[in-house]
Amino acid sequence: QRTNKSALFMGPPTDPSAPATDLYGEGSRKYRRTVYTHDQWVKHRSPDRFVNNLSTLFNSGIYKNVGKEVVATTSVAIFVWAWNLLVGGYQDLSGVAHDPIIQGEWAKIVGLPLQAFTTVSPSLGLLLAFRTNSSYKRWDEARKFWGLNINHTRDLNRMATAWYGHDGIPVDPTLRAEHLRQVSLMTWAFVRSMKRHLSPPAEDEEAYVSELNARLAPEQAQAMIDAAHRPNRALYDLSVAIDRLPMHFMRKNAINKNLSIFEDTLGGSERLLSSPVPLFYSRHTARFLSTWLLLLPFAMYEPFNGSWNHVMEIPAIALASLFLFGIEELATQLEEPFTILPMQGFCDKIGGWCDEITSWAGQGQEAEEATQANIAEIAPSR
């Protein structure tokens, strides 16, 4: 009996005793494997979504992950603000102006022209947009690979079930059930092995071994566990299970085309996992953004001269840093898509669907009397 280990609706842990590492960073990725249903789409389109999103601003795992960077840029803003007050004079709460506390030829107000930042802003925007788009395309490609897995696992088991037997040879229902059960099991074993292949060992190895031992024969489970490339071993076992089916070789060829598609989705996923966005691009974008934001407080002091002692520069820099570093963090989190895809949910659903499809053997139009009954039912309406 298979245990469903995936939750359709996932989010940050609500248990107050949960470790802080599960609230953001690597630990939070397992809570981003969301699968939507109609209810979730209704909530997603809710007119209250803006208020709800703003109310959870400080609970965001993305923003918590860039906390150190935001503290750094805000500290620079506080330094610029405090230094310029000390050397340029300040105004107390009563509106009385005071002379500088630090005086001397060397004590100058620090600042940079804002025009320098506005000139390079479009370039920074393009870099961030390309970085985010590239990462999203990787996530989208990984999701499409799993979509192909879902589609073709169902297709394979449908064809195997409907085409079982040929040339009028009598079918043994018990043998048919066992043959189709093997096809269904090996189909599930492939996607489950692929999920393990794309997941961190510390997160999935124990569960993978447990699930294989629970569903497969001990020798077959151990052979798959011991294989250097487990998905390939699962595909081999699936090929053997298909070859045992008593049907015309042309039909077997049609079924085996699905296995070639599985190899493509597996190879494409391995490419995504092993090849990040070129590191020199990611690093240049991060360096450009960090330098731009660390120097921005020097240019933003004068534009806030309308606020009391320019103090609004500090929260403005903090928010700008939060959102811009957040964009770069989003791209980084999306770049490796497999640990935020609900792959366990996909595997569980595939296993359930394949079991259901193969259980229909002998219940459809195989019997001649069923076909004749349908024809008789439809005939009067023609």
Side-chain angles (χ1 to χ4, degrees), residues 60-138:
S60 168
I62 293 293
Y63 297 151
K64 288 179 179 179
N65 226 31
V66 298
K68 293 179 181 179
E69 292 83 353
V70 174
V71 168
T73 55
T74 306
S75 298
V76 173
I78 293 172
F79 165 76
V80 170
W81 173 77
W83 175 260
N84 286 345
L85 291 188
L86 291 173
V87 302
Y90 65 95
Q91 188 180 69
D92 62 25
L93 294 175
S94 302
V96 178
H98 295 267
D99 293 332
I101 296 176
I102 300 176
Q103 299 184 10
E105 292 185 4
W106 56 272
K108 304 292 185 182
I109 291 178
V110 295
L112 291 171
L114 185 59
Q115 185 177 3
F117 292 84
T118 57
T119 300
V120 300
S121 292
S123 300
L124 178 59
L126 288 173
L127 280 173
L128 287 173
F130 180 81
R131 176 87 171 88
T132 307
N133 287 342
S134 298
S135 295
Y136 175 77
K137 287 178 181 178
R138 291 168 60 86

Side-chain angles (χ1 to χ4, degrees), residues 206-227:
E206 184 178 351
Y208 172 75
V209 171
S210 175
E211 289 181 42
L212 254 61
N213 284 324
R215 297 205 70 194
L216 304 184
E219 299 81 4
Q220 192 171 33
Q222 196 59 48
M224 202 170 295
I225 292 168
D226 292 340

Side-chain angles (χ1 to χ4, degrees), residues 238-372:
L238 178 56
S239 296
V240 171
I242 293 170
D243 192 56
R244 289 174 178 164
L245 300 178
M247 63 177 61
H248 194 277
F249 76 92
M250 292 296 291
R251 289 183 167 181
K252 286 185 181 180
N253 288 344
I255 294 176
N256 274 304
K257 289 180 181 179
N258 291 290
L259 274 63
S260 297
I261 293 172
F262 295 156
E263 283 285 11
D264 290 339
T265 62
L266 176 60
S269 296
E270 290 174 328
R271 169 177 52 81
L272 291 177
L273 185 64
S274 60
S275 305
V277 172
L279 294 178
F280 53 82
Y281 183 90
S282 302
R283 289 169 179 168
H284 177 71
T285 303
R287 289 164 183 156
F288 191 167
L289 176 63
S290 300
T291 304
W292 194 86
L293 284 171
L294 285 169
L295 294 177
L296 185 61
F298 293 93
M300 295 296 285
Y301 183 76
E302 279 304 319
F304 282 97
N305 58 10
S307 63
W308 178 74
N309 288 324
H310 307 248
V311 72
M312 292 307 296
E313 175 195 14
I314 297 172
I317 292 294
L319 283 175
S321 301
L322 185 70
F323 294 133
L324 288 174
F325 278 128
I327 293 174
E328 201 278 337
E329 178 67 16
L330 284 173
T332 302
Q333 292 292 330
L334 282 170
E335 190 175 359
E336 188 276 280
F338 300 106
T339 48
I340 56 174
L341 281 174
M343 295 190 295
Q344 183 66 49
F346 296 155
C347 294
D348 292 340
K349 290 294 185 182
I350 287 170
W353 288 325
C354 292
D355 287 347
E356 181 184 32
I357 291 169
T358 54
S359 73
W360 294 337
Q363 299 178 19
Q365 301 300 307
E366 296 97 330
E368 183 66 24
E369 58 269 19
T371 304
Q372 294 300 325

Side-chain angles (χ1 to χ4, degrees), residues 43-57:
K43 183 178 180 181
H44 187 78
R45 296 188 292 264
S46 168
D48 298 328
R49 62 186 182 275
F50 298 105
V51 174
N52 293 335
N53 289 333
L54 286 174
S55 66
T56 57
L57 177 66

